[in-house]
Amino acid sequence: STKVNASTSLIPPLEGRLVQSFAVDLKGIVLEAAGGSLSQRAVRSIETGRVLEVTEHPENGISVLIQHTGNRKAIYSRLAETGLKVNDWVQGGDPIGTLQSTDSGSPPTLYFVLKEGNRDVDPAEVMPLD
């Protein structure tokens, strides 16, 4: 595997813990929110970028695709809500949306995909996740 240019420091998209590593599907990771409060379910932009698309899926909630610096894109999925629209700009740390709260009482999760060009990248290699 090749190391990604880590000259810019990326902000973790969610305060919480890694519950599914990149090795499981080689596309993305699953992060579990630290708790169920609104602030703990807040998803943030990993760096400055422009919103390319906002889509909604019946079972996976809202997904936001952001073009970040260089050839890097990120997909933030399983959101309950977002105020972002296509062509909006975000800075690193800006809120993207909030995760869905779960009926089961278990913490909500974020499915997060990071791409360099067309290649899926393990986010754990380029940002602190613990």
Side-chain angles (χ1 to χ4, degrees), residues 5 14 18 23 29 32 44 52 56-57 65 84 89 93 105 128:
N5 178 4
L14 180 70
L18 183 67
I29 60 170
E32 182 180 83
R44 298 179 311 272
L52 295 181
E56 189 162 359
H57 301 280
L65 170 63
L84 296 175
W89 281 91

Side-chain angles (χ1 to χ4, degrees), residues 6-114:
S7 61
T8 59
S9 69
L10 302 178
I11 298 165
L14 180 70
E15 300 237 351
R17 64 186 186 98
L18 183 67
V19 293
Q20 178 180 302
S21 73
F22 183 75
V24 173
D25 67 6
L26 298 178
K27 291 201 176 301
I29 60 170
V30 177
L31 295 169
E32 182 180 83
S37 75
L38 199 57
S39 65
Q40 291 170 316
R41 291 187 288 125
V43 176
R44 298 179 311 272
S45 176
I46 59 167
E47 66 178 343
T48 299
R50 185 172 64 92
V51 177
L52 295 181
E53 67 183 40
V54 178
T55 54
E56 189 162 359
H57 301 280
E59 64 279 350
N60 275 334
I62 298 167
S63 291
V64 177
L65 170 63
I66 296 179
Q67 173 73 58
H68 291 295
T69 57
N71 217 3
R72 183 180 293 144
K73 290 183 184 138
I75 302 169
Y76 307 78
S77 296
R78 300 183 183 165
L79 301 175
E81 52 153 18
T82 183
L84 296 175
K85 300 178 298 305
V86 172
N87 290 325
D88 281 352
W89 281 91
V90 293
Q91 300 293 319
D94 281 359
I96 289 185
T98 51
L99 294 175
Q100 303 175 36
S101 52
T102 58
D103 298 334
S104 64
S106 60
T109 58
L110 168 73
Y111 186 69
F112 179 72
V113 176
L114 188 61

